[in-house]
Amino acid sequence: MRVFLGEGFVEDKMVNWTARINASEGTPFQKKVWGAMARIPRGKVSTYGLVARAIGKPKAMRAVGYACNQNPFAPDIPCHRIVSSDGTLGGYAQGPAKKRALLKREGILVQEGRVKEFESILYTF
DNA sequence: CTATTGACGACAT
DNA sequence: CATGTCGCCAATA
């Protein structure tokens, strides 16, 4: 099944976020980031750089981080599943403990600041 | 317009 | 493994 921009998952259910994202206050760039993030399934993680690549702006990983920080749909649009390129946790608006808790609830463990089995659960779009 | 700020990343040391 | 540097980009002041 092909997954389109704007579609994603809440829990395990596929949801189309397009209308809500478009109606939000975000800038065009932020809306693209949120739409891409929404596709990351439960149990997987991705990275700031991969999201940047997925929206056609491969060098905008820092700006992606900023857009994550502004995500008004968290945690349904799962910005907590975005981690750093080396598998370390990266930041979170509500603090690293919250990010770890959300991931743990999805079966993703963070040990010594690094996502367990990072390479094998990486979502690359 | 310029300057500054970040939930970054690649590379050097 | 741990820092530091530099490049990059969107948002903001």
Side-chain angles (χ1 to χ4, degrees):
Chain A
M1 174 219 313
R2 182 152 175 355
V3 179
F4 297 91
L5 185 66
E7 289 183 342
F9 303 87
V10 174
E11 298 298 315
D12 288 332
K13 285 184 138 169
M14 174 67 85
V15 169
N16 192 337
W17 284 95
T18 310
R20 288 187 64 193
I21 289 175
N22 284 341
S24 74
E25 297 273 314
T27 65
F29 177 84
Q30 288 168 335
K31 290 175 181 176
K32 283 182 195 167
V33 171
W34 302 335
M37 271 194 322
R39 324 194 297 209
I40 305 168
R42 186 181 176 82
K44 299 221 143 206
V45 298
S46 194
T47 72
Y48 301 95
L50 288 171
V51 171
R53 213 173 65 182
I55 64 173
K57 302 219 145 200
K59 299 183 216 168
M61 59 287 271
R62 293 190 77 170
V64 166
Y66 184 78
C68 289
N69 184 255
Q70 307 300 308
N71 170 22
F73 304 106
D76 287 336
I77 289 185
C79 51
H80 57 282
R81 295 180 191 147
I82 307 292
V83 301
S84 299
S85 64
D86 61 357
T88 57
L89 197 55
Y92 197 65
Q94 300 169 70
K98 181 72 179 175
K99 190 167 185 175
R100 274 197 305 274
L102 287 166
L103 290 172
K104 184 175 183 182
R105 165 186 317 176
E106 303 176 356
I108 297 171
L109 297 182
V110 181
Q111 297 177 341
E112 320 254 327
R114 192 165 184 283
V115 173
K116 190 177 181 187
E117 321 214 30
F118 170 61
E119 291 79 4
S120 62
I121 64 170
L122 184 60
Y123 183 72
T124 57
F125 294 87

